[in-house]
């Protein structure tokens, strides 16, 4: 019997700011959902531009490898029974990017147009997730066989316990939930959701369902009941149900056991009054020691009716309340929806999962223009093209090959866009009238629609189109422009620095390769955090939360309020497609806890406490690394330690062979080598991509704030600073120290400081001169021996941020001046604009030199990493190659090796592959120290 398919669940919550369509300034909206041939329809909300549906729909996902997309169209229902409903907008969602049940969050999606002339505005609020089928019940046991003649059982020796391979330094929790996702070629990647990387935290769960037959306390014969829950000083309050004697709350409350200092749980029901005090409706009390413990995957505890009791001095109590009480852990499915005591009761500060928008490179090929109408007919125009996308991406194509009214350019401009496409592509043809004076000759505005712009995954040419230039003078022909537009999905859109990128996959999903394994991160807690802001009573306080980023998936833990040693104990999972990538984890102070609305209005930003980076290639497969990493941040007074972050990480690869093979593949998709981007454009595109990701994630609900995303992506890493330049200089000096050490050793040999060593060098020199064919195998054998010797000195844990490497401040006076220069552009930047521009230009040039020094140091550090075992897989590959090469070269004549090598180097271009050679791919994937610099 085939297992039931995975389910896609869509909750259509609300729409807002819809376009009026009924002629009276309103609309009667309904949603039409279409997925894989299955169609659903919501109810119609009449005359409402901000309709609320709150309806759930389920669709079966039959193909897990290519799940397709979900399309939701919003229509205006017209009167008279006509079938042609007014179109209000649509959204399209890639089902492959949908999160699992329990990780969903309300997301607002901008409504897209159906065609060029559609008039659409507004947003649609959705919650969307997938649910895996429940496992079938175990088979019933066979009926017992009739008893046979009894024989004494043979003695059994106690069997030894099976040896555990992956022993975590963290005690495992008492719950185990497995989700196995089948991959291509019959392989499987196992998702471990049993919270074995973190410590189990005990919570008291209280589910308040409903009440019945409550006493009427108001003059109108009803009450406005709510529930108070308290355990000592820890208190919580349910929502108020107005004018109802049989209210339904359906709320869950979770109280951390660490904060439960009293032995009794008190639950009381009250009638909310405008003028206090509120009226008492009844109460209950339970001893905490009598509350049962639930261990998933057990079924949820069934709620029960309890009779409300009186309290001294309280009268007229009647009615019942339905409750469910149990002790559980953070693995309980009710934890995500529960009011949590350690978050201060703020629903926005619970843990959430976010997805980066899907980024594309937009290529705009400006070919030519014809029949331009010059502003001044007595002068030959000097036309150029300015292309604008949004407010931040503006590029120009300067003078064409032919001046006048028919210029020819044939230039490519590259932009970064994100799905869903919202901006307009504005193409302006301008005439340079004089110095610093320009006039618009015409313009074209194009929506980023797949009907207009073609998508491609390779270098094949797409059709070009002519567009008539528009102007303010209606009916006047201003000329036309020839364009070729395409969304290039064969590239990887860089939104991180290349040295610590977490993803290298192309945009087009059909080019993705199967995943290599699973990355699991357990965020345990932080220790000894410093006070980050003033709390109640003027005391220093910290409300900390963590953000982790890998690939397109961001996770944010819940905010632990008023604690310098917060304990999160949350575990997250990512799929890994490339082992030479970096996981980034940051810690932040939430400045929106007590006055969220006021803080947002005042522009208050969350403060970074520090971050760590973990390169996956430095982790051994299936091993748990549990460490406390220092949290360092650069301030105007130097590098400061803000505390420690304790976390566990495990990288499990499905196939060691596939993981090793990834080291021999190009780091980036093929399009980067067949059709490389201009070097000057790469950094500008990366900055545009970072800003786009930050702005989109800031629009989530609750938002992942822009300052958080920018800190995680190192938006300012390209800017020049004396500190980074010094760090790169000392990195190069450290790389060259080995060369200087060899030169010093050779000088000591020549001076006969150690006669025995000098005599051995003479003997080795004579052997190599007499048998030159032994030179290369001897070199490879020597490197193999060095690598084998260094194995015992390899690092046992992932490296962390290095304040000394980052040049944090050995010389206080000099370093404070340099840090002030890094944080403050220039003293006169507010009034002397020319001085500011020149200084910024100088900083830009110095930044390029700084990046060049960093690149040079990176290459040298990669050479050192060949034998240092920082990347165990890479060093093992290289050491094995050296041993094999030494053996082969010892038995192969030198002339044969020289001939084969020469023929290979001088081969015809038709036998050359545009992709980088395997040794170059391997070298580019080696780790450097760049990911340890702040």
């Amino acid at each position: 019997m085939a297992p039931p398919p995975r389910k896609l669940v869509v909750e259509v919550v609300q729409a807002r700011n819809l376009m009026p369509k009924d002629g009276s300034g309103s609309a009667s909206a309904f949603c039409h959902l279409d997925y894989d041939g299955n169609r659903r329809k919501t109810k119609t909300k009449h005359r409402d531009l901000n309709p609320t549906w709150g309806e759930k729909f389920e669709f079966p996902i039959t193909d897990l490898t290519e799940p397709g997309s979900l399309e939701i169209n919003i229509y205006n229902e017209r009167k008279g029974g006509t079938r042609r409903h007014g179109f209000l907008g649509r959204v399209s969602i890639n089902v492959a990017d949908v999160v699992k049940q329990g990780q969903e969050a309300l997301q607002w999606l901008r409504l897209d147009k159906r065609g060029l002339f559609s008039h659409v505005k507004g947003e649609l609020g959705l919650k969307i997730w997938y649910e895996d089928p429940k496992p079938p019940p175990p088979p019933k046991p066979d009926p017992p066989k009739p008893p046979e003649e009894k024989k004494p059982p043979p003695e059994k020796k106690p069997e030894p316990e099976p040896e555990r391979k992956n022993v975590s330094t963290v005690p495992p929790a008492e719950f185990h939930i497995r989700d196995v996702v089948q991959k291509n070629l019959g392989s499987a990647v196992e998702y471990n959701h049993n919270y074995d990387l973190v410590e189990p935290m005990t919570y008291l769960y209280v589910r308040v369902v409903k009440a019945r037959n409550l006493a009427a306390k108001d003059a109108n014969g009803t009450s406005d009941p709510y529930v108070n829950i308290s355990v000592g000083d820890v208190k919580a309050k349910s929502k108020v149900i107005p004018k109802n004697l049989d209210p339904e709350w359906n709320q869950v409350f979770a109280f951390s056991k660490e904060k439960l200092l009293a032995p009794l749980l008190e639950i009381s029901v009250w009638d909310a009054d405008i003028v206090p005090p509120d009226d008492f409706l009844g109460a209950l009390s339970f001893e905490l020691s009598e509350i049962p413990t639930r261990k998933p995957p057990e079924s949820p505890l069934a709620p029960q009716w309890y009779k409300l009791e009186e309290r001294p001095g309280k009268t007229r109590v009647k009615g019942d309340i339905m409750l469910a009480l149990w002790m559980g852990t953070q693995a309980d499915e009710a934890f995500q929806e529960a009011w949590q005591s350690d978050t201060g009761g703020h629903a926005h500060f619970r843990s959430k999962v976010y997805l980066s928008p899907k980024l594309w490179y937009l290529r705009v090929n400006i070919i030519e223009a014809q029949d331009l109408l010059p502003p001044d007919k007595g002068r030959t125009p000097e036309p150029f093209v300015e292309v604008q996308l949004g407010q931040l991406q503006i590029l120009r194509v300067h003078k064409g090959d032919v001046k006048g009214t028919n210029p020819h350019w044939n230039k490519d401009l590259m932009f970064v866009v994100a799905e869903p496409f919202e901006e307009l592509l504005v193409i302006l043809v301008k005439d340079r009238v004089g110095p610093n004076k320009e006039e618009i000759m015409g313009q074209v505005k194009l929506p980023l629609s797949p009907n207009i712009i073609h998508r491609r995954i390779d270098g094949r040419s797409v059709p070009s189109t002519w567009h008539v230039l528009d102007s303010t003078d209606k009916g006047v022909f201003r000329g036309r422009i020839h364009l070729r537009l395409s969304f290039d999905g064969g590239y990887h859109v860089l939104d991180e620095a290349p040295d610590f990128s977490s993803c290298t996959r192309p945009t087009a999903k059909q080019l993705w390769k199967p995943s290599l394994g699973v990355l699991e991160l357990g965020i345990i807690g932080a220790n000894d955090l410093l006070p980050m802001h003033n709390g109640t009573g003027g005391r220093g306080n910290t409300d900390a939360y963590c953000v982790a980023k890998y690939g397109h998936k961001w996770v944010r833990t819940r905010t632990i309020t008023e604690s310098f040693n917060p304990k999160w104990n949350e575990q997250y999972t990512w799929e890994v497609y490339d082992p030479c990538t970096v996981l980034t984890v940051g810690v932040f102070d939430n400045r929106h806890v007590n006055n969220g609305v006021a803080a947002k209005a005042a522009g208050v930003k969350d403060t970074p406490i520090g971050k760590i980076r973990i390169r996956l290639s430095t982790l051994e497969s299936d091993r748990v690394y549990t460490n406390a990493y220092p949290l360092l941040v650069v301030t105007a007074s130097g590098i400061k330690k803000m505390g420690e972050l304790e976390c566990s990480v495990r990288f499990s690869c499905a196939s060691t062979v596939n993981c090793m093979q990834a080291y021999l593949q190009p780091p980036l998709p093929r399009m980067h080598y067949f059709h490389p981007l201009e070097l000057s454009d790469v950094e500008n595109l990366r900055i545009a991509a970072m800003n786009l990701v930050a702005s989109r994630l800031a629009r989530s609900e609750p938002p992942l704030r822009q300052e958080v995303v920018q800190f995680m992506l190192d938006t300012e890493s390209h800017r020049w600073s004396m500190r980074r330049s010094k760090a790169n200089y000392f990195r190069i000096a450290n790389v060259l120290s080995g060369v200087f050490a060899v030169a010093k050793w050779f000088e000591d040999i020549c001076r006969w400081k150690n006669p025995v060593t000098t005599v051995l060098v003479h003997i080795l020199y004579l052997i190599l001169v007499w048998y030159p064919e032994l030179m290369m195998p001897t070199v490879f054998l020597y490197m193999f021996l060095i690598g084998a010797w260094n194995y015992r000195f390899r690092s046992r844990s992932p490296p962390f941020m290095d304040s000394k490497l980052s040049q944090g401040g050995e010389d206080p006076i000099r370093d404070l001046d340099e840090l002030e220069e890094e944080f403050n552009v220039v003293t006169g930047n507010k009034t002397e604009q020319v001085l500011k521009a020149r200084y910024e230009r100088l900083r830009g040039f110095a930044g390029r030199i700084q990046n060049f020094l960093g690149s040079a140091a990176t290459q040298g550090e990669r050479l050192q990493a060949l034998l240092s075992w920082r990347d165990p897989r890479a060093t093992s590959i290289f050491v094995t190659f050296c041993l094999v090469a030494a053996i082969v070269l010892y038995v192969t004549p030198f002339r044969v090796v020289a001939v084969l090598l020469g023929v290979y180097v001088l081969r015809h271009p038709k036998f050359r592959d545009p992709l980088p050679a395997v040794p170059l791919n391997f070298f580019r994937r080696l780790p450097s120290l760049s990911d340890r610099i702040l």
Side-chain angles (χ1 to χ4, degrees), residues 421-440:
F421 305 124
E422 300 176 354
E423 298 87 357
L424 284 176
L425 182 66
V426 181
I427 301 173
L428 303 172
V429 180
K430 295 184 177 182
D431 180 23
R432 186 174 286 102
V433 179
N436 301 324
K437 186 177 181 182
E438 304 166 352
E439 290 187 6
I440 298 178

Side-chain angles (χ1 to χ4, degrees), residues 341-355:
S341 61
D342 49 7
T343 65
H346 297 273
H348 280 196
F349 302 150
R350 300 171 185 163
S351 57
K352 293 293 179 182
V353 176
Y354 302 85
L355 294 176

Side-chain angles (χ1 to χ4, degrees), residues 904-921:
Y904 176 78
V905 173
L906 301 175
R907 67 192 184 279
H908 193 272
K910 68 167 57 176
F911 299 109
R912 298 178 183 271
D913 192 349
L915 294 176
V918 170
L920 187 58
N921 295 333

Side-chain angles (χ1 to χ4, degrees), residues 730-743:
F730 285 110
R731 288 171 61 197
I732 293 180
N734 182 51
V735 169
L736 297 179
S737 62
V739 179
F740 297 149
V742 172

Side-chain angles (χ1 to χ4, degrees), residues 37 78 97 169 186 204 237 489 557 692 699 804 849 903 916:
R78 294 182 177 175
D97 298 332
T169 55
L204 166 63
K237 178 182 176 181
T557 67
L692 196 55
R699 287 164 37 183
K804 184 177 181 181
I849 297 177
V903 171

Side-chain angles (χ1 to χ4, degrees), residues 141-294:
D142 296 334
K145 296 182 179 180
E148 298 180 356
E149 184 179 356
K150 295 184 179 180
K151 296 181 180 180
E155 287 188 356
K156 289 185 178 181
K157 297 182 180 179
E159 296 182 359
E161 292 185 358
E163 182 181 1
R164 287 189 177 181
K165 292 184 178 180
N166 307 326
V167 180
S168 171
T169 55
V170 181
E174 297 180 355
F175 32 85
H176 304 277
I177 304 172
R178 299 266 181 191
D179 177 19
V180 180
V181 179
Q182 296 295 328
K183 294 297 176 184
N184 296 334
L185 303 179
S187 61
V189 176
E190 184 174 296
Y191 286 84
N192 189 355
H193 289 304
N194 61 348
Y195 281 72
D196 60 342
L197 298 185
V198 296
E199 300 174 359
M201 299 178 66
T202 303
Y203 286 84
L204 166 63
Y205 288 92
V206 180
R207 181 183 294 275
V208 181
V209 184
K210 57 185 176 180
R212 64 187 180 189
N213 301 327
L214 296 179
K217 294 292 185 178
D218 295 339
N220 55 9
T222 62
S223 295
D224 304 324
Y226 68 90
V227 179
N228 265 342
I229 306 171
S230 63
V231 184
D233 296 333
V234 181
K235 302 180 184 298
K237 178 182 176 181
S238 74
K239 58 186 176 183
V240 178
I241 307 297
K243 300 179 181 180
N244 200 324
L245 298 181
D246 300 302
E248 293 189 11
W249 293 282
N250 288 319
Q251 288 183 267
V252 183
F253 301 85
F255 301 88
S256 175
K257 188 177 180 180
E258 296 180 355
K259 297 187 176 182
L260 303 181
L261 304 180
L264 288 180
L265 164 66
E266 302 233 355
I267 299 176
S268 54
V269 185
W270 299 81
D271 170 40
D273 290 335
I274 299 177
V275 179
D278 295 341
D279 297 322
F280 179 77
L281 297 178
L284 286 170
S285 62
F286 301 88
E287 292 188 7
L288 296 183
S289 58
E290 299 296 328
I291 297 178
T293 300
R294 176 177 176 262

